[in-house]
Amino acid sequence: MTRLLDPLLRDVNELILRMGGACEAILAKALRAVQQRDAELACQVAQDDLEIDRLDIEVDEAVLRAIALQAPVAGDLRRILAVKSIAVDLERVGDLARNIAKSAERLAAREPVPLPSRLESLAEEVQSMLRESLDAFVARDAERAGALLRRDDEVDLDEDRLIEAALGEIAAHPAISAQEVDLILIAKNLERVADHATNIAEDVILVVEGRNVKHAEKLARTAG
Amino acid sequence: MTRLLDPLLRDVNELILRMGGACEAILAKALRAVQQRDAELACQVAQDDLEIDRLDIEVDEAVLRAIALQAPVAGDLRRILAVKSIAVDLERVGDLARNIAKSAERLAAREPVPLPSRLESLAEEVQSMLRESLDAFVARDAERAGALLRRDDEVDLDEDRLIEAALGEIAAHPAISAQEVDLILIAKNLERVADHATNIAEDVILVVEGRNVKHAEKLARTAG
């Protein structure tokens, strides 16, 4: 099934892996800037994100080149477009890391507040989901990708709990409300990184099995 | 330039217009739910969003069909992929409207707070940008699309001011902090709708002129 696909996608795949690595690094840096209250580190994130934007443009070109050179048939074409769609998700992860870095900058400029342990564990879980989605892509492992889809609901719950806790902190200590709002925004941004990891997992399933599971759960939930 | 493209894209274009109309409607409904504190209206938004998800899947299929039937060359292919990318943006606008509706539900359940007039004008500007991006797509008007790119910076500034004001409100009236946090989240979501309208405008320029302006400003700003 991947015989035809392999030469076609080599360039694109390599670019995706570079993008994925850059996204993991930028996200880790943004979160480190939050933890260490390091405004300088936070500033680097916007710069690093430009490299991801450049890779995104390169993916666009490589996809066009692959299609033009190989004139792939429907199944392969579907797979190439799925790979392109992974690049779209990774580009957004870069943007989200930039948002987190902006919160880090603001947090570093204000009175320090303790970071909730739940935020730390949410950050770890989301980084692990992103890594796992990229590993599933490298391994072309639809089963691993499928396992990821089930982790997103837990992240949503964790985000809700974090927001509730932050609202409680604001009510009790209005003086630190600006910081708590940034913690809420960081949680929101992390939750969206998990959404993109989920999208990538869906695209991996499409690449490997040719099965489109996009929106499947949401649509099934209402049909049932 | 559009001769070859026209038959190729008729189905896809029609689907995009249906998606665009659905996105404008769902966003208006979510904002009305905020204004009128109408939890029931807010609940409908998640349901309406499913229709957008369905259209998104149809676009994927129509794009594959168009490419398979016509085996387009590089320029046309680039245009088709740009149209597909518009669908990705519209699908996200649906998600953002759903986020706004969630805030509307929470706001309806709490002590009423006055909506800042700046939020109303931000909502109007963002809705106007979305409409204009879709009109530029229908008219295949790269100039109109280009004019849109310049409006995004103003939206970012408005969002910043709204957040500052909300933080001020929280400091002065901690009892309404939960509501103010939801106003901040609504402003964030509106700002992201404007980002997607900007992306659509960039894709319109790509469709009409074959010019890729994606990330161009951000990359140029750093190069300069």
Side-chain angles (χ1 to χ4, degrees):
Chain A
M1 186 182 281
T2 55
R3 208 161 21 102
L4 247 168
L5 196 62
D6 278 341
L8 205 70
L9 284 185
R10 207 177 301 132
D11 284 2
V12 188
N13 276 358
E14 202 197 309
L15 285 167
I16 293 283
L17 292 185
R18 279 172 58 197
M19 259 186 113
C23 282
E24 288 189 83
I26 199 180
L27 182 61
K29 191 182 270 191
L31 289 165
R32 213 160 56 236
V34 173
Q35 282 164 334
Q36 302 176 351
R37 303 176 45 76
D38 188 335
E40 207 174 312
L41 198 63
C43 278
Q44 295 173 16
V45 167
Q47 194 62 33
D48 294 354
D49 186 41
L50 293 173
E51 175 60 19
I52 294 173
D53 290 346
R54 274 190 210 98
L55 285 168
D56 183 37
I57 294 173
E58 278 192 57
V59 168
D60 278 358
E61 297 307 317
V63 164
L64 286 170
R65 217 161 38 233
I67 298 182
L69 286 175
Q70 306 277 344
V73 292
D76 282 342
L77 187 59
R78 191 186 290 271
R79 288 184 181 86
I80 294 176
L81 295 183
V83 172
K84 183 185 148 61
S85 156
I86 292 177
V88 173
D89 282 295
L90 290 174
E91 194 269 330
R92 298 278 155 90
V93 169
D95 291 344
L96 295 170
R98 226 173 44 208
N99 291 350
I100 292 172
K102 275 188 217 154
S103 287
E105 268 186 76
R106 288 189 296 257
L107 284 170
R110 294 187 192 264
E111 191 70 25
V113 293
L115 293 184
S117 65
R118 191 166 266 147
L119 186 66
E120 310 257 8
S121 58
L122 180 65
E124 273 170 37
E125 168 66 3
V126 168
Q127 286 178 289
S128 148
M129 283 178 72
L130 179 61
R131 192 177 322 118
E132 185 66 11
S133 72
L134 293 166
D135 286 351
F137 174 70
V138 173
R140 298 182 175 232
D141 188 334
E143 205 170 317
R144 273 172 85 171
L148 248 173
L149 304 184
R150 291 184 286 278
R151 284 162 71 177
D152 197 36
D153 285 344
E154 191 59 39
V155 166
D156 290 349
L157 282 180
D158 276 347
E159 184 217 349
D160 288 345
R161 287 188 205 111
L162 260 163
I163 292 177
E164 275 309 308
L167 290 175
E169 284 298 308
I170 292 174
H173 315 286
I176 56 162
S177 51
Q179 291 91 315
E180 294 295 329
V181 166
D182 267 310
L183 296 184
I184 290 176
L185 294 178
I186 293 170
K188 287 259 161 210
N189 281 303
L190 285 172
E191 184 269 325
R192 281 166 57 209
V193 173
D195 284 345
H196 290 295
T198 306
N199 291 349
I200 292 171
E202 288 172 354
D203 282 319
V204 169
I205 295 172
L206 189 49
V207 169
V208 177
E209 300 192 337
R211 228 170 9 113
N212 191 349
V213 294
K214 200 162 75 164
H215 308 307
E217 209 199 332
K218 215 164 41 166
L219 292 174
R221 233 183 261 166
T222 6
Chain B
M1 186 182 281
T2 55
R3 208 163 20 106
L4 247 168
L5 196 63
D6 277 341
L8 205 69
L9 283 186
R10 206 178 301 135
D11 284 2
V12 187
N13 277 356
E14 203 197 307
L15 285 167
I16 293 283
L17 292 184
R18 279 172 58 195
M19 258 185 114
C23 282
E24 288 189 83
I26 199 178
L27 182 60
K29 190 181 270 192
L31 289 165
R32 213 161 55 239
V34 173
Q35 284 164 334
Q36 301 175 353
R37 304 176 45 74
D38 188 336
E40 207 174 312
L41 198 62
C43 278
Q44 293 173 16
V45 167
Q47 194 62 34
D48 293 355
D49 186 40
L50 294 173
E51 176 60 18
I52 295 174
D53 290 347
R54 273 190 210 99
L55 285 167
D56 183 37
I57 294 172
E58 277 192 56
V59 168
D60 278 359
E61 297 306 318
V63 163
L64 287 170
R65 217 162 36 232
I67 298 182
L69 287 175
Q70 306 277 342
V73 292
D76 282 342
L77 188 59
R78 193 186 289 272
R79 289 184 181 85
I80 295 177
L81 295 184
V83 172
K84 182 184 151 60
S85 155
I86 292 177
V88 174
D89 280 300
L90 289 174
E91 193 268 330
R92 298 277 155 90
V93 169
D95 291 345
L96 294 170
R98 225 174 43 207
N99 291 349
I100 293 173
K102 274 188 217 154
S103 287
E105 267 185 76
R106 287 189 296 257
L107 284 170
R110 293 187 194 265
E111 191 70 25
V113 293
L115 292 184
S117 65
R118 190 165 267 145
L119 186 66
E120 310 258 8
S121 58
L122 180 65
E124 273 170 36
E125 169 64 3
V126 168
Q127 285 178 291
S128 149
M129 285 178 71
L130 179 62
R131 193 176 321 117
E132 185 66 11
S133 72
L134 292 166
D135 286 351
F137 173 70
V138 174
R140 297 178 176 234
D141 189 333
E143 207 171 315
R144 274 172 84 171
L148 247 174
L149 304 184
R150 291 184 286 278
R151 285 162 71 177
D152 196 36
D153 285 343
E154 191 58 39
V155 166
D156 289 349
L157 283 179
D158 276 346
E159 184 217 348
D160 287 346
R161 288 188 206 111
L162 259 163
I163 292 176
E164 276 310 308
L167 289 174
E169 284 297 310
I170 291 174
H173 314 286
I176 56 161
S177 52
Q179 291 90 316
E180 294 295 328
V181 167
D182 267 311
L183 296 183
I184 291 176
L185 295 178
I186 292 170
K188 288 260 160 209
N189 281 303
L190 285 172
E191 185 268 326
R192 281 166 58 208
V193 173
D195 285 345
H196 290 296
T198 306
N199 291 349
I200 292 171
E202 289 172 353
D203 282 318
V204 169
I205 295 173
L206 189 49
V207 170
V208 177
E209 300 190 338
R211 224 167 18 107
N212 189 350
V213 295
K214 201 162 74 162
H215 308 307
E217 209 200 331
K218 216 164 41 167
L219 292 174
R221 230 182 264 166
T222 6

